[in-house]
Amino acid sequence: MSQQKQFRAIKGTRDILPPDSSLWNWFERQARETFESYSFRDIRTPIFEDTDLFARSVGTDTDIVSKEMYTFSASSEAASHDGEQMSLRPEGTASVCRAYIEHGMHTLPGNLKLYYSGPMFRRERPQKGRYRQFYQMGAEVLGPSDAPGIDAEVIEMLVVLFRRVGLEKITLYVNSIGCKECRPKYVELLRVELRNAKDQLGPDSQRRIETNPLRVLDSKLPEEQVIIERLPRISDHLCEACRAHFAKLKDELALRDIAYEENWRLVRGLDYYTRTTFEVTAAGLGSQNAVCGGGRYDGLVELLGGPPTKGIGFAIGADRAILSIQESGKLPHLPGLAVFVAWMGLKAYPTAVAMARKLRERGLIVELPAEEMKFKKSLGLADKLGAKYALIIGEDEVASGTYTLKRLSDANQQKLAEPELLEYLESERRGL
Ligand code: ATP
Ligand code: MG
């Protein structure tokens, strides 16, 4: 007899099941409501794009593009696209900028504020808080202005969201990594210093001296830390305009009462960042503790063939944010099964169907057994499902027009006519 293959979710991917999925939906709802209150609107872009879009924007020397993307060829049916490479998106900003250009959104009034939510894909080593399919909720501001007040408002929005979902043990790090005027000079200086210390660095950092010296600052290797601490710091090498921008950002954060720490080593992995960079870490996540990363990317739209455009944005790692909420133990109260309709006798069934619908129309979560059950079994199931109330509808109840509502936590029972019953349960709804 041949053994049937047991299918399992692919390594690095996972199923999000109830009740966790309720927490996910709640978190996403809080984020959407927060973003919309700051006048951001939803954008939905495809899950795969031209590989070159990511190569050009994220940068070919980043880990993401050099080894983490899921890339495949266009199907042979699409002859015009034959040979073209596509990739599952590893992040959201490139797609948003591509859409901004494609739809001529620079002609829209003011700065355009967009948010997105969805899965991203990176071939990384799976571990706690690190998956190959993970979820981000991000926001971007694109348009003519790079006023530091925009950066500060975006950061405020993040902090407000984290507070709203009960993530209190967070740290916000900010930095400025300069612009195309001052950064190249600093990078050259860094390269010279790093070359002098080359023997003391590991192979990754040695390679980055030539390809992307800024990324050496990201290193977590213990033996490299002493060397990095002695390196020149970008804050001492910003041009006048970048220095003023960063100073104003800090004023704007103070104005908003937002606590932050400056971290000169926060360069972020992606190539397209300029000036402001920021990251938020949260408690309870071990070494994968970054829940949000973001920054300014003033040259990106132009790099992708669009008009000169300023931009800033962030992406929250939803998997990690939710993990941190779970670890904190402070879960939100989410509505559960309110009423189990325990009906008995076929004559009671039409009334049970009608009552279930009326309760659901009033916003209650209701379970109605599709088949007749014995009274004891019915109440037993109501209990196992975690229902707050059992609504007992037998033939006698139908005849008299009064129903028994049993609270399952303490077996308290009351007999109510339909209008009182509906009114009572509706008034209880918020606590269910
Ligand atoms: P890390 O340093 O942890 O690898 P990153 O700098 O690669 O993060 P970004 O590209 O800035 O991450 O993405 C923003 C957020 O998305 C991160 O702060 C993190 O919360 C989340 N994230 C990134 N990669 C993963 C992943 N593989 N699994 C789960 N969440 C992720
Ligand atoms: Mg990463």
Side-chain angles (χ1 to χ4, degrees), residues 161-229:
L161 171 61
F162 284 137
R163 230 176 261 159
R164 177 168 172 169
V165 298
L167 279 179
E168 272 145 22
K169 288 193 196 140
I170 58 162
T171 311
L172 165 68
Y173 297 98
V174 299
N175 190 25
S176 173
I177 56 168
C179 63
K180 62 178 187 296
E181 300 303 321
C182 52
R183 187 148 55 134
K185 290 180 208 150
Y186 170 70
V187 168
E188 220 23 71
L189 188 67
L190 207 55
R191 186 171 277 139
V192 171
E193 293 292 322
L194 286 168
R195 280 190 190 133
N196 290 337
K198 189 168 177 181
D199 311 341
Q200 293 144 273
L201 298 171
D204 279 344
S205 292
Q206 287 199 4
R207 188 170 41 82
R208 286 179 180 140
I209 297 176
E210 302 312 321
T211 56
N212 196 345
L214 274 182
R215 302 256 354 253
V216 176
L217 304 183
D218 252 353
S219 160
K220 305 220 162 51
L221 289 182
E223 60 275 21
E224 294 184 345
Q225 301 309 307
V226 278
I227 297 148
I228 294 172
E229 278 307 310

Side-chain angles (χ1 to χ4, degrees), residues 323-340:
L323 209 54
S324 185
I325 293 171
Q326 288 168 326
E327 302 270 327
S328 78
K330 285 195 310 180
L331 298 180
H333 172 79
L334 297 174
L337 178 57
V339 180
F340 185 98

Side-chain angles (χ1 to χ4, degrees), residues 409-421:
S409 59
D410 59 1
N412 172 291
Q413 297 207 115
Q414 40 184 336
K415 275 192 174 305
L416 299 165
E418 182 179 316
E420 288 81 53
L421 176 79

Side-chain angles (χ1 to χ4, degrees), residues 261-309:
E261 283 180 28
E262 267 187 75
N263 177 1
W264 71 279
R265 288 176 58 176
L266 182 65
V267 293
R268 315 266 312 119
L270 319 186
D271 273 0
Y272 55 59
Y273 285 105
T274 52
R275 290 191 171 164
T276 311
T277 56
F278 55 95
E279 192 162 280
V280 178
T281 60
L285 296 173
S287 55
Q288 264 58 251
N289 65 350
V291 285
C292 176
R296 183 161 274 294
Y297 48 84
D298 291 340
L300 181 57
V301 170
E302 226 176 325
L303 182 75
L304 296 175
T309 307

Side-chain angles (χ1 to χ4, degrees), residues 10-140:
I10 285 167
K11 188 176 168 197
T13 73
R14 63 204 181 121
D15 303 307
I16 294 159
L17 308 174
D20 289 356
S21 51
S22 300
L23 184 64
W24 274 77
N25 285 337
W26 171 83
F27 177 80
E28 287 166 1
R29 203 159 54 239
Q30 304 310 308
R32 284 176 192 282
E33 284 177 11
T34 304
F35 299 164
E36 288 184 9
S37 76
Y38 281 80
S39 184
F40 282 72
R41 289 192 296 173
D42 195 9
I43 179 169
R44 299 181 187 220
T45 62
I47 252 164
F48 56 97
E49 301 257 10
D50 191 324
T51 302
D52 289 342
L53 172 68
F54 303 117
R56 187 137 21 125
S57 57
V58 178
T60 43
D61 181 53
T62 57
D63 287 348
I64 293 178
V65 171
S66 65
K67 51 187 188 218
E68 296 174 358
M69 282 207 295
Y70 288 95
T71 298
F72 50 95
S73 298
S75 81
S76 54
E77 295 139 44
S80 60
H81 282 248
D82 216 16
E84 198 178 9
Q85 297 284 101
M86 306 183 177
S87 298
L88 296 182
R89 62 183 185 192
E91 58 103 50
T93 304
S95 303
V96 173
C97 290
R98 195 261 313 133
Y100 179 83
I101 299 166
E102 184 171 338
H103 304 288
M105 288 194 269
H106 63 281
T107 59
L108 296 171
N111 286 299
L112 186 65
K113 297 157 93 174
L114 298 169
Y115 74 88
Y116 60 83
S117 173
M120 304 295 161
F121 305 85
R122 297 182 193 175
R123 190 184 281 109
E124 302 198 75
R125 194 167 68 79
Q127 52 199 291
K128 181 184 175 190
R130 195 178 289 289
Y131 311 99
R132 292 180 166 179
Q133 173 171 338
F134 62 101
Y135 295 80
Q136 287 186 338
M137 297 195 80
E140 318 283 355

